Amino acid sequence: MTGRVVVIGVGNPFRRDDGAGPLVVEALRTRVPEGTVLTDSDGEPGRMLGSWRRQDAVVVVEVVHAHPGQPGRLHTLTAERAARCATRSASTHALGLGETFALAAALDRMPRELTVHAVEGEDFGIGRGLSTAVADALPELIHHVAEAVDEAHDRLRRAGAPADGRETA
């Protein structure tokens, strides 16, 4: 089996800023190499783990709460750092990414590599549309994620794995 590049936009588009993850995924549809797997997730751990295989390179896009916060500020986290945050989850979901990654590690289901690109949110109320701070940060977030996808494809190619997701014998 070979690895794929998987981008997961975590969030709920009906919870204002929480919809940024899926918006990033939608914006990437014409910007990433063919064969990139683009998907949305509500953050439920079982479904998240089902989105990737152990040999994949995974990029997660999420909106977080930070205390003290600076809405619109961007963060890049490794899976290890996100898992360390599990006890003080900053996700807008019942279980945060840290808990999901800790579960994946315990089940030996972590992908080959995993990076989280996050933006600090401001408004998580009911409704559609982003706060000004998150909307202003979105182009830079999309750019960072697109670069991460290109770099992941390059690493998979260098490792001898076709980045198009095809399996080899």
Side-chain angles (χ1 to χ4, degrees), residues 100-125:
T100 299
F101 301 153
L103 177 62
L107 297 174
D108 195 27
R109 293 273 300 126
M110 283 299 289
R112 169 193 309 223
E113 60 182 71
L114 192 147
T115 305
V116 178
H117 288 274
V119 60
E120 291 181 29
E122 178 176 32
D123 182 355
F124 297 94

Side-chain angles (χ1 to χ4, degrees), residues 2-159:
T2 59
R4 308 167 299 164
V5 176
V6 179
V7 180
I8 305 170
V10 180
N12 180 344
F14 299 103
R15 295 294 306 264
R16 309 283 299 169
D17 286 346
D18 197 43
L23 284 173
V24 169
V25 166
E26 191 57 38
L28 291 174
R29 293 204 184 277
T30 60
R31 293 185 63 170
V32 295
E34 187 175 327
T36 304
V37 177
L38 299 170
T39 188
D40 296 337
S41 174
D42 61 4
E44 194 281 321
R47 286 189 288 275
M48 290 274 297
L49 270 58
S51 300
W52 67 67
R53 303 184 303 219
R54 290 181 60 217
Q55 62 274 14
D56 292 341
V58 177
V59 179
V60 176
V61 186
E62 169 70 297
V63 178
V64 296
H65 289 281
H67 303 286
Q70 182 182 334
R73 181 170 43 183
L74 301 179
H75 301 270
T76 301
L77 305 170
T78 63
E80 295 80 17
R81 183 158 178 229
R84 283 196 310 266
C85 296
T87 57
R88 50 186 171 82
S89 176
S91 175
T92 62
H93 311 288
L95 290 178
L97 290 178
E99 291 93 349
T100 299
F101 301 153
L103 177 62
L107 297 174
D108 195 27
R109 293 273 300 126
M110 283 299 289
R112 169 193 309 223
E113 60 182 71
L114 192 147
T115 305
V116 178
H117 288 274
V119 60
E120 291 181 29
E122 178 176 32
D123 182 355
F124 297 94
I126 304 296
R128 295 183 66 92
L130 304 176
S131 66
T132 301
V134 173
D136 288 349
L138 208 60
E140 186 177 355
L141 180 60
I142 293 166
H143 175 76
H144 286 305
V145 174
E147 281 185 340
V149 168
D150 289 341
E151 292 166 3
H153 277 285
D154 288 344
R155 284 190 299 277
L156 288 175
R157 274 193 289 277
R158 284 194 306 272

